[in-house]
Amino acid sequence: MTRYIVLDVGGTTIKGNVVTQENELFFPEEKVFDACSDKTREEVLLNFLSILNQLNPRGDCVQSICFAFPGPFDYARGISYMKGISKYEALYGLEIQKTLQDLDETGWIKTASFHFVHDIEAFAYGICRRYPYLADKRVFCLCLGTGAGSAFLANGTVVKGTEGVPENGWIYNVPYKESIIDDYISARGLARLSKEKLGTELDGYHLKVLADAGDERAVEVFFEIRRRNRLCHSRLSEWFSPAGLGFGWESGQSLFQFSGWPAYDGKPWRY
């Protein structure tokens, strides 16, 4: 049986599973691991190895190990160039495949091929597969977590640096107010805004608890983040004119769980 290990590498968590050529999942639910993205190079690499061995504890032959990785990243060569965005900075300039295979003591990782793809592009392709009516449309996908990840698709193909789309399809470093978009709508933006309004940095979950308990300052934080997101969407819509928006989140999920507005229904938004 041909097997592939697939990893969704985020700044907060890494999610993984084993999938067969017939798209059957080895684990009924994805496994979730701490990302350790702010640790030393050695700690990050050893964490990757630990995750791979937990997903394949018997050391079975694996055809490919597939990483959905945030950028900036050289996906053809498997080299991270993330810097100044509070995650995986220790891996800057490192050839990840060679390094992990050199560190591998089990043998099975050395024989597997490695593939790297932008994490939000992978999400965007999944959205179009899950909702076939979007396959021939223009779609903008945004994922909020440690950072603000993005991808643009037209007729099922990723668009970069043309048709009003930023270079590489990444909006995180697009100028916005006094800085860049990433600093305003990501988890960092949420933390900074909560410190401004409440005097302390809080994540989405703890803000939600306060907001649902009636804390007007926490409510104000949620509505300000929502306003910022809408402004960003409006600006990008003027450039790209998408037919739909696919929204994913990790740290941002509390925006849709907050009882102050209708719950997100799990379907991609349409303009």
Side-chain angles (χ1 to χ4, degrees), residues 83-87 89 144-148 172-173 179-195 201-203 225 228 251:
K83 194 173 184 179
I85 53 176
S86 305
K87 57 184 176 184
E89 296 190 20
L144 296 182
T146 306
Y172 82 95
N173 59 351
S179 183
I180 57 175
I181 284 179
D182 212 52
D183 289 333
Y184 285 88
I185 66 173
S186 68
R188 292 199 306 280
L190 194 67
R192 289 172 181 170
L193 187 58
S194 69
K195 185 172 184 178
E201 292 188 357
L202 296 173
D203 59 20
I225 286 290
R228 291 178 181 180
S251 299

Side-chain angles (χ1 to χ4, degrees), residues 129-182:
R129 181 169 180 173
R130 176 65 179 83
Y131 301 99
Y133 62 82
L134 293 175
D136 60 350
K137 303 291 193 304
R138 298 168 71 84
V139 179
F140 168 52
C141 289
L142 175 66
C143 292
L144 296 182
T146 306
S150 59
F152 298 77
L153 268 68
N155 299 315
T157 301
V158 171
V159 179
K160 302 178 182 181
T162 185
E163 300 184 50
V165 175
E167 184 181 4
N168 297 313
W170 301 338
I171 69 162
Y172 82 95
N173 59 351
V174 170
Y176 183 74
K177 291 190 175 183
E178 299 176 357
S179 183
I180 57 175
I181 284 179
D182 212 52

Side-chain angles (χ1 to χ4, degrees), residues 13-28:
T13 62
I14 296 174
K15 301 179 179 69
N17 212 326
V18 181
V19 62
T20 69
Q21 197 165 13
E22 292 74 30
N23 288 326
E24 296 175 347
L25 296 176
F26 187 79
F27 299 106

Side-chain angles (χ1 to χ4, degrees), residues 45-46 49 52 94-112 114:
L45 293 169
L46 291 178
L49 289 176
L52 291 174
L94 187 70
E95 189 176 342
I96 293 174
Q97 175 179 349
K98 181 180 184 305
T99 306
L100 289 177
Q101 289 180 329
D102 287 346
L103 291 171
D104 173 40
E105 297 180 352
T106 63
W108 69 269
I109 296 175
K110 284 181 169 63
T111 62
F114 279 59

